Amino acid sequence: MSEPATTPEPRALNFIEDIIEADRVTEKHQGRVLTRFPPEPNGYLHIGHAKSICLNFGLGIRYGGATNLRFDDTNPTKEEQEYVDSIKADVEWLGFAWKAEFYASDYFQTLYDFAEHLIQIGKAYVCDLSEEQIREYRGNFFKPGQDSPYRNRDAAENLDLFRRMRAGEFPDGARVLRAKIDMQSGNMNLRDPLMYRIRRAHHHRTGDAWLIYPLYDYAHGVSDAIEGITHSICTLEFEDHRPLYDWFLAQDTEEKFFQRPLPRQIEFARLNLTYTVMSKRRLLLLVQEGHVQGWDDPRMSTISALRRRGFTPASLRNFAERVGVAKRDSLTDVALLEHAIREDLEKTAPRRMAVLRPLKVVITNMAEGETHWLELANHPDPVFGTRKVALTRELWIEAEDFMDVPAKKWFRLAPGAEVRLKGACLIRCEDVIKDTNGQVIELRCAWDPASLGGDAPDGRKVKGTLHWVSAAHAVEGEVRLYDRLFTAEDPMDVAEGGDWRDTLNPHSLDVLAEAKLEAGLAEAQPGERFQFERLGYFCTDQDTKPGAPVFNRTVALKDSWARAEGLGK
RNA sequence: UGGGGAGUGGUCUAAUGGUAGGACAACAGAUUCUGAUUCUGUCAGGUGAGGGUUCAAAUCCUUCCUCCCCAACCA
């Protein structure tokens, strides 16, 4: 686990905390708070899950309680151990420790026993209708359902049939177990919902022990109740499942199956972020259709992608804290996420110099072979120490730091202009070398030796400071710049006949294969984070090889010059 | 023609009958060997609309409008 999450800063309580505090006043749970994070292991977690993780574990921490990690593995055809492993890694990386690791499949026997109990008290029955017939009998929003012809089988027959379902006497799909509630209900979830289906599938944990598997609505609440969860937090779309959640638990008429008080389901609005999509299904399509290179492609909104991109657990936790928790649908500006990571990395990332698009500078009044070793600060905060960087006659600077015909208020390099090389000296541009196409290929500059390591003795000031790398010492590396994956704020909000993939940003990845990096960066380890001076925050990618470093840009620095320029000011 | 939710500056979120506050974004200035950071200031909502109750309404009542979710043997 990375840095563990701690009790958050004081702030106004959200509505879930209000509920918990009210429960504490009435001593409903004797002060106990136990939440759970219940992922289905059928895909990778994304930043929306991160919000839910921070919420659930955060409540446990805040109220001196705990949180269980429970895999909702009731559908063996979709679930895999690979996902279990990645989910655990993600939760740990975010800085949270679960009290216990459970699986819905741990409760298959109890779930089965409770189902028999429901049959015995006349609240569940085996239905022989086909899948299609069940749908027809269910009606729709405007048409009430009609009772299944099998609805009034007696308990003994139901029990016999259910046991034979379990024993494998019927083919897949032949029969289901249904709760007997109300086929007329306006809430479709209450029209005799399915509890069990027959499915001969290999389960990632129970193997071939079971031929029948419970469905979510039945398994989830029961699992919560078995564990003694106090507050069961989920997203808004489960709001009209709540009556069903409560109904199942209320069937423990003799209070033999669950401890009291029963858990309470509370729903909050899921996270949406501008310029991205947030569903496992669409994320999977992005991977399958090759729009990105994998689940952890740094452009993705998965936790593994954000990690690879260079986000820190603390920044994600702070982000989750700031977006808040409420019940209204919202679309959070990705700028808030970017703020959270800049805020963290500004304080923690060592500074380095890297030139992404190199332009050669020759210091004409410096001898060949002349080398000045400079002591550069690793960070504005002196506790980060210093490092040695070489200054020589031939340098690389950022191509965009030179303008042949300078714009208004331009205070970087231009013909005749003087600028500071960060941590080194002042140089003045004396000559501009161009190729036959008129492209600037080299700058001839003169340095002021008296300014070495500081200011010019005559006190003259320069406005511009550039980052630079000694050509003789630079290592070459690959730098991957990422932009938003979609060009639309809400990719789902497409015009009639359009598709969310229409708004994919064709320029979301820009690979700079010949960046010039200061020598020390050759030893950067995967996962190490830096600020490249004046450019942004970067994280060493796992593709890094000895002598061939690869960096991902986590986020650019704020750039008021680029902004002003873009606005034509 | 059903059921369940939600509407507060551009975005997210607070206020629990008593001055509509915070964060992000934006804008301006100061500082700065990162056009970063930091600091200061500004901007901007009368709370979806109408009606009502009240000394007082985002909060209570009422009518209406808009948006989201639900008709998988998915979760």
Side-chain angles (χ1 to χ4, degrees), chain A residues 67-219:
Chain A
T67 304
N68 289 341
L69 176 62
R70 186 177 68 239
F71 292 94
D72 234 326
D73 57 348
T74 56
N75 185 356
T77 60
K78 288 189 177 174
E79 294 144 8
E80 293 171 26
Q81 185 62 38
E82 177 198 347
Y83 297 124
V84 170
D85 297 338
S86 79
I87 289 167
K88 287 166 67 175
D90 286 348
V91 175
E92 288 185 328
W93 178 77
L94 276 172
F96 296 107
W98 48 86
K99 180 181 183 208
E101 175 184 336
F102 289 129
Y103 295 78
S105 53
D106 294 340
Y107 310 132
F108 279 176
Q109 186 59 47
T110 307
L111 255 354
Y112 177 85
D113 293 341
F114 188 52
E116 285 207 348
H117 166 73
L118 259 67
I119 290 171
Q120 273 154 349
I121 63 173
K123 294 298 181 69
Y125 63 97
V126 172
C127 181
D128 302 356
L129 254 23
S130 70
E131 192 169 346
E132 194 180 331
Q133 288 171 317
I134 286 176
R135 199 173 1 221
E136 282 168 15
Y137 275 76
R138 184 151 42 215
N140 57 43
F141 295 156
F142 314 112
K143 190 172 120 210
Q146 45 182 311
D147 289 358
S148 161
Y150 305 98
R151 197 172 200 261
N152 292 314
R153 288 217 253 233
D154 63 45
E157 185 185 3
N158 280 319
L159 207 49
D160 173 61
L161 254 12
F162 186 48
R163 287 175 177 166
R164 288 164 64 194
M165 279 170 65
R166 178 187 187 178
E169 290 189 26
F170 312 117
D172 285 10
R175 289 185 161 91
V176 293
L177 183 71
R178 288 230 245 175
K180 191 194 278 193
I181 307 181
D182 178 8
M183 289 306 289
Q184 264 73 246
S185 175
N187 182 346
M188 302 293 291
N189 296 118
L190 266 21
R191 321 249 261 227
D192 289 8
L194 276 58
M195 293 171 61
Y196 271 94
R197 75 282 220 191
I198 304 171
R199 188 163 284 186
R200 285 169 173 75
H202 188 80
H203 187 280
H204 72 115
R205 288 185 65 86
T206 61
D208 301 312
W210 292 87
L211 269 42
I212 58 173
Y213 292 94
L215 281 107
Y216 168 86
D217 283 308
Y218 174 59

Side-chain angles (χ1 to χ4, degrees), chain A residues 162-384:
Chain A
F162 186 48
R163 287 175 177 166
R164 288 164 64 194
M165 279 170 65
R166 178 187 187 178
E169 290 189 26
F170 312 117
D172 285 10
R175 289 185 161 91
V176 293
L177 183 71
R178 288 230 245 175
K180 191 194 278 193
I181 307 181
D182 178 8
M183 289 306 289
Q184 264 73 246
S185 175
N187 182 346
M188 302 293 291
N189 296 118
L190 266 21
R191 321 249 261 227
D192 289 8
L194 276 58
M195 293 171 61
Y196 271 94
R197 75 282 220 191
I198 304 171
R199 188 163 284 186
R200 285 169 173 75
H202 188 80
H203 187 280
H204 72 115
R205 288 185 65 86
T206 61
D208 301 312
W210 292 87
L211 269 42
I212 58 173
Y213 292 94
L215 281 107
Y216 168 86
D217 283 308
Y218 174 59
H220 196 90
V222 170
S223 300
D224 283 343
I226 291 170
E227 286 175 27
I229 298 299
T230 56
H231 304 268
S232 176
I233 296 158
C234 62
T235 43
L236 253 29
E237 67 269 30
F238 293 102
E239 218 152 12
D240 48 17
H241 293 234
R242 188 177 350 118
L244 185 49
Y245 182 103
D246 293 335
W247 186 89
F248 277 124
L249 298 188
Q251 304 317 312
D252 179 21
T253 43
E254 290 156 45
E255 307 202 1
K256 284 196 311 197
F257 288 87
F258 319 126
Q259 43 182 307
R260 314 285 139 154
L262 265 6
R264 168 175 175 185
Q265 176 179 302
I266 303 168
E267 312 84 12
F268 73 102
R270 62 175 349 110
L271 174 72
N272 292 297
L273 258 192
T274 54
Y275 304 104
T276 190
V277 294
M278 202 81 81
S279 82
K280 282 186 193 170
R281 192 176 69 80
R282 293 192 184 88
L283 257 10
L284 176 62
L285 283 169
L286 290 174
V287 174
Q288 287 177 336
E289 295 174 358
H291 300 113
V292 295
Q293 283 157 22
W295 284 98
D296 65 347
D297 184 304
R299 291 168 291 179
M300 295 277 276
S301 57
T302 54
I303 294 175
S304 50
L306 292 167
R307 175 168 56 229
R308 185 170 178 185
R309 174 127 168 200
F311 280 80
T312 59
S315 70
L316 262 21
R317 280 188 245 120
N318 287 337
F319 170 71
E321 188 68 23
R322 283 172 204 222
V323 295
V325 178
K327 293 198 70 158
R328 77 170 100 156
D329 296 309
S330 58
L331 179 59
T332 297
D333 191 338
V334 73
L336 187 61
L337 213 211
E338 293 175 348
H339 169 79
I341 186 58
R342 284 196 191 103
E343 180 184 50
D344 188 0
L345 263 19
E346 157 64 25
K347 289 181 301 200
T348 58
R351 314 283 128 123
R352 292 292 184 269
M353 291 202 286
V355 175
L356 269 29
R357 297 177 177 88
L359 172 62
K360 178 167 280 187
V361 167
V362 176
I363 302 180
T364 52
N365 57 340
M366 190 179 286
E368 292 194 37
E370 188 177 337
T371 305
H372 301 273
W373 286 97
L374 303 161
E375 190 100 352
L376 264 64
N378 286 329
H379 194 278
D381 182 342
V383 303
F384 283 77

Side-chain angles (χ1 to χ4, degrees), chain A residues 7-71:
Chain A
T7 307
E9 298 289 304
R11 53 152 172 75
L13 299 184
N14 63 50
F15 81 99
I16 297 177
E17 290 159 347
D18 287 340
I19 291 170
I20 291 176
E21 301 219 340
D23 288 346
R24 287 158 76 87
V25 169
T26 62
E27 296 192 327
K28 181 178 176 187
H29 302 277
Q30 295 82 45
R32 220 166 48 86
V33 171
L34 182 62
T35 57
R36 102 267 91 112
F37 175 62
E40 180 187 14
N42 69 341
Y44 289 83
L45 262 28
H46 54 63
I47 190 171
H49 296 108
K51 173 181 176 178
S52 172
I53 291 167
C54 291
L55 210 210
N56 278 294
F57 283 88
L59 291 170
I61 292 169
R62 177 180 284 268
Y63 293 105
T67 304
N68 289 341
L69 176 62
R70 186 177 68 239
F71 292 94

Side-chain angles (χ1 to χ4, degrees), chain A residues 381-394:
Chain A
D381 182 342
V383 303
F384 283 77
T386 60
R387 68 191 186 282
K388 291 246 195 281
V389 173
L391 173 69
T392 57
R393 175 182 163 89
E394 295 199 359

